[in-house]
Amino acid sequence: PFGINLMSGGIMPLRSLVAVPVAFAILGLLGFKYAPAWLSRVGILALLLAYFAIFQISSGFNAARQLVQVHDHEMAGAISERIARVVGHANPGKRIFFESFGEQSFKAPFPRIEGSTIGASFFEWERGSPYRIIAYMKLIGLPVLRGVPKENLTHQLLDEFVLMPPWPAQDSVRAAANGMILLKLSDVPGERYEKLLTSKDSSADPNSEPFYRLSSASADSWSVQAVSSARKTAEGLVLETGTDSNLTFRVGAPQVLRDSSRIEIHARLKIKQACGAQMFYTCRGQSASKLSTAIGGPISPAADGGYIDVNLQAICRDGFEDSFRWNMVGPAQHETIGELELFSRHQRPAQQKDEKPEGPPHQ
């Protein structure tokens, strides 16, 4: 069985090795029956060492599993208590709609197998799926909550989550404007919000003006890397790219950046081959060397060879620093950035604007 892992280049699923102990035991029995006496004695010692190792590994996994069960049970009870305080003396039969943001993993002092659920928390599965959390809370007998379909998620709901502090802060559980109960586990969004972070905000004012536009920005505010040539033409910024080209720029609007909790990036691109687009940004309080990243995704050239529109949402609870990087990942090709615009789509409340971020930076 160990040879299979070597033959597959180490990419075989670990669950395929579940038969290793059985194969090991059979080989041991065959050795005891047919091998010379001296080899049997050596085999007994080897088997004892192997079994002790198996017991040690199993006890570690069992300990991690037991600890995470206690963690999830206690945390679910605490969340249910917070929800009861928020809901108050409502009708017991009233449906309570619940949505969560982010994930919270459990760090046990025992090893965990990458990709395994052993030692994993219900509050981190599927990067914090609210349906997993609801199912677990129902399983242990807590009041039943109702999930929200993914298609009902909006940018306005995203903005409410961004401004909330993560668990276990006091305001990490609260009611939304529509009465939905919100739980924020961390500042990093889960996969349920990937579509919102890679789409245009349809509720935004179509006549709003960007606070940064590449076509009218001064040449000393931006620079390009990993390109063989770059020139500005009537069509836009034309790049002969490498495999990982990027455009670094500063917008020169510090007050707008400090007051914004969500920025929409709109780009008009002309490409020859499919590639990936991504925007890197720096949250307020972060060092310039540690960039956060907006969720990007694959893009394909237009059927008519023209421009395509790409929209990304960058979120930071404490505002942004003036440090951005537009990244194009893919094959070397001829790219044209027809336009790159930044819009402030949501501003932090007035009481938060003068507060400086404390502790580690938040995304």
Side-chain angles (χ1 to χ4, degrees), residues 70-80 104 121 123 167 183 185:
V70 174
H71 165 270
D72 284 0
H73 191 276
E74 295 294 329
M75 186 168 176
I79 291 172
S80 182
Q104 186 165 119
S121 170
F123 297 93
W167 179 270
L183 165 66
L185 295 173

Side-chain angles (χ1 to χ4, degrees), residues 100-105 121-130 132-133 185-186 188-194 197 295 363:
S100 64
F101 183 93
E103 64 178 289
Q104 186 165 119
S105 59
S121 170
F122 275 89
F123 297 93
E124 66 178 296
W125 285 9
E126 298 181 32
R127 291 169 55 191
S129 167
R132 292 277 192 178
I133 298 173
L185 295 173
S186 71
V188 180
E191 62 183 19
R192 280 171 62 83
Y193 289 88
E194 287 182 353
L197 293 172
I295 297 176
Q363 177 178 336

Side-chain angles (χ1 to χ4, degrees), residues 143-182:
V144 178
L145 304 173
R146 305 286 180 176
V148 180
K150 187 182 291 187
E151 55 269 19
N152 291 353
L153 303 181
T154 63
H155 287 93
Q156 289 73 22
L157 181 61
L158 175 65
D159 292 332
E160 291 195 55
F161 270 123
V162 170
L163 295 178
M164 292 170 60
W167 179 270
Q170 185 61 39
D171 293 332
S172 59
V173 178
R174 70 176 184 84
N178 59 2
M180 184 191 311
I181 299 300
L182 307 180

Side-chain angles (χ1 to χ4, degrees), residues 247-278:
L247 166 68
T248 303
F249 62 95
R250 296 181 178 273
V251 303
Q255 189 63 48
V256 175
L257 294 173
R258 283 197 299 267
D259 293 346
S260 300
S261 61
R262 178 166 60 91
I263 290 175
E264 181 173 314
I265 301 100
H266 172 235
R268 293 186 67 246
L269 308 173
K270 185 187 291 184
I271 55 177
K272 300 294 184 182
Q273 303 178 62
C275 60
Q278 198 172 33

Side-chain angles (χ1 to χ4, degrees), residues 266-338:
H266 172 235
R268 293 186 67 246
L269 308 173
K270 185 187 291 184
I271 55 177
K272 300 294 184 182
Q273 303 178 62
C275 60
Q278 198 172 33
M279 173 66 82
F280 290 85
Y281 55 92
T282 308
C283 289
R284 188 180 175 203
Q286 281 185 328
S287 63
S289 60
K290 185 178 180 181
L291 297 178
S292 302
T293 173
I295 297 176
I299 55 176
S300 301
D304 59 358
Y307 287 93
I308 59 172
D309 291 324
V310 177
N311 294 278
L312 298 176
Q313 307 288 333
I315 54 175
C316 282
R317 179 157 58 97
D318 299 313
F320 297 81
E321 299 287 356
D322 194 356
S323 178
F324 296 88
R325 190 173 80 216
W326 177 258
N327 194 217
M328 300 287 285
V329 182
Q333 60 175 308
H334 183 90
E335 300 172 359
T336 302
I337 303 178

Side-chain angles (χ1 to χ4, degrees), residues 39-122:
L39 188 57
S40 297
R41 296 188 184 95
V42 175
I44 290 174
L45 179 61
L47 281 175
L48 287 175
L49 294 176
Y51 286 141
F52 276 122
I54 291 173
F55 291 151
Q56 181 187 19
I57 294 171
S58 299
S59 62
F61 287 152
N62 289 332
R65 183 169 52 194
Q66 181 64 28
L67 287 174
V68 79
Q69 286 177 355
V70 174
H71 165 270
D72 284 0
H73 191 276
E74 295 294 329
M75 186 168 176
I79 291 172
S80 182
E81 183 180 353
R82 293 273 192 96
I83 292 175
R85 292 178 184 175
V86 172
V87 173
H89 301 286
N91 185 351
K94 180 182 177 182
R95 289 185 174 183
I96 300 177
F97 288 92
F98 171 84
E99 175 63 18
S100 64
F101 183 93
E103 64 178 289
Q104 186 165 119
S105 59
F106 178 67
K107 304 298 184 183
F110 298 100
R112 279 178 53 178
I113 299 176
E114 187 70 26
S116 172
T117 58
I118 297 177
S121 170
F122 275 89

